[in-house]
Amino acid sequence: MEKILVTTDQSVNSKAAIRFAIKLASQRKAELTILHVYHLLKPFKWTDHAFAAYTNEFRKKTTEELSSFIAGIYRDIDEREINYQLVLVSNIDVVDGITDYASRNSCSYICISTRGAGTIAKIFGTHTAKLISCSTVPVICIPSTYHLKELKHILYASDMTDYENELKEVVDFARPIGASVEMVHIAYPNEFAFDKELAEATLQKKNSYKISLLNLQRDVNNNLLEDIDHAVKISKPSLLVLFTHQSRSMLEKLFFPSNATEYSFYGKVPLLTFKKKEGK
């Protein structure tokens, strides 16, 4: 059975990811784990026994608070309550705690809330950007202002370097929830353009799933993010999928362009990122 992991720090912003994860786990009939990463400093004069007692009391109190926090979320959404596992992990680094747990427990997806609508730098806070850059488990970033809705349409933005293998992962995500899949390639001027009908028929045959194709041209006056934003406005997806090279420089080029301004889809559309295969 699939395992979906969602992180929370009990903040209002983290509610969006929990709502999304509950819905996704229900649709995919997956196990749901709600993870809270914490770190406690041991006072120099405390004995090991005293610190252990304090830690146990902290975990008990935090578990009660989290249970109440999640119950409040359920009261706000029209979803049947599903079984979930509440886990507390001690780690000095939040992202390391998330990735270590996800890897050791074979999680299929990690859900995390972004920090709010606005500029790229504001939305992609430290934890989210670091998680995208280092996690081998696919990451779903949910804007904190996101309103829960059905996942009906998925837009996969491809650079065409490994689209056949990448599409398999996109379809694997889409199939259990019955979402439509559209692939967009934003081509440079004079780049080869696919025959739309032939390409769609070929993609459908290879994946045993209907896939539509959106061909767009790069605007030389835009950076890549602006062109993706344009594609999102045309496609109107429920979720955007990107495959990213996991290096800081590549992520900075994509998420932190020099003229970064406010891009509308970051305040509205969840983003699913996969690690791009090495050499692709």
Side-chain angles (χ1 to χ4, degrees):
M1 179 179 285
E2 279 188 344
K3 297 178 181 179
I4 294 173
L5 178 68
V6 60
T7 70
T8 181
D9 56 3
Q10 297 190 68
S11 68
V12 173
N13 284 345
S14 70
K15 288 184 177 182
I18 296 174
R19 289 192 292 262
F20 183 93
I22 289 170
K23 180 77 171 179
L24 187 63
S26 178
Q27 287 184 290
R28 301 180 71 85
K29 296 178 173 58
E31 295 180 5
L32 177 62
T33 297
I34 301 174
L35 178 70
H36 175 70
V37 181
Y38 70 93
H39 176 62
L40 298 177
L41 290 173
K42 178 184 174 184
F44 180 73
K45 294 183 179 181
W46 281 23
T47 64
D48 290 342
H49 178 74
F51 185 61
Y54 172 76
T55 300
N56 289 336
E57 184 61 29
F58 169 84
R59 289 176 61 88
K60 179 182 178 181
K61 180 181 179 183
T62 303
T63 298
E64 292 173 351
E65 291 173 348
L66 283 168
S67 296
S68 177
F69 181 72
I70 296 163
I73 292 174
Y74 265 112
R75 287 194 294 270
D76 294 336
I77 61 176
D78 185 22
E79 289 291 326
R80 67 178 181 85
E81 188 164 347
I82 61 174
N83 292 328
Y84 64 86
Q85 181 182 16
L86 187 58
V87 176
L88 273 64
V89 168
S90 175
N91 197 301
I92 193 170
D93 184 281
V94 172
V95 174
D96 287 348
I98 296 169
T99 55
D100 180 63
Y101 182 90
S103 178
R104 286 189 293 104
N105 290 276
S106 302
C107 294
S108 304
Y109 302 97
I110 299 171
C111 294
I112 185 171
S113 288
T114 55
R115 292 186 175 181
T119 63
I120 303 304
K122 179 181 177 183
I123 293 172
F124 277 83
T126 304
H127 291 161
T128 306
K130 184 177 179 182
L131 195 57
I132 291 174
S133 69
C134 70
S135 176
T136 57
V137 177
V139 178
I140 309 177
C141 308
I142 314 298
S144 62
T145 56
Y146 175 74
H147 296 290
L148 194 62
K149 60 189 72 174
E150 294 289 334
L151 287 179
K152 295 181 178 180
H153 181 51
I154 295 171
L155 178 65
Y156 157 51
S158 174
D159 61 6
M160 306 308 293
T161 58
D162 193 30
Y163 71 92
E164 290 188 354
N165 289 321
E166 292 176 355
L167 261 176
K168 291 177 183 177
E169 296 191 69
V170 176
V171 170
D172 283 346
F173 180 85
R175 196 189 302 273
I177 59 177
S180 58
V181 174
E182 184 172 32
M183 182 175 78
V184 59
H185 173 50
I186 305 172
Y188 284 91
N190 302 319
E191 185 178 342
F192 172 77
F194 287 93
D195 178 280
K196 180 176 170 61
E197 291 187 7
L198 178 60
E200 288 179 343
T202 301
L203 293 173
Q204 180 171 334
K205 183 177 180 180
K206 287 185 176 181
N207 292 277
S208 300
Y209 203 78
K210 186 176 180 181
I211 298 169
S212 57
L213 185 65
L214 176 62
N215 280 322
L216 296 177
Q217 290 292 315
R218 282 298 311 268
D219 186 329
V220 294
N221 297 312
N222 290 347
N223 59 51
L224 179 58
L225 200 57
E226 289 172 305
D227 284 337
I228 293 176
D229 185 57
H230 177 61
V232 167
K233 290 174 181 176
I234 294 173
S235 180
K236 295 180 173 58
S238 309
L239 179 138
L240 173 67
V241 178
L242 298 176
F243 285 74
T244 65
H245 289 280
Q246 291 189 319
S247 69
R248 184 64 182 171
S249 60
M250 290 297 295
L251 286 172
E252 284 176 341
K253 289 178 182 177
L254 180 59
F255 294 117
F256 299 92
S258 58
N259 60 336
T261 54
E262 295 189 8
Y263 294 93
S264 61
F265 75 79
Y266 278 103
K268 301 176 182 178
V269 182
L271 173 66
L272 169 57
T273 63
F274 290 88
K275 178 183 177 181
K276 202 166 183 65
K277 303 298 183 184
E278 295 298 328
K280 300 299 184 179

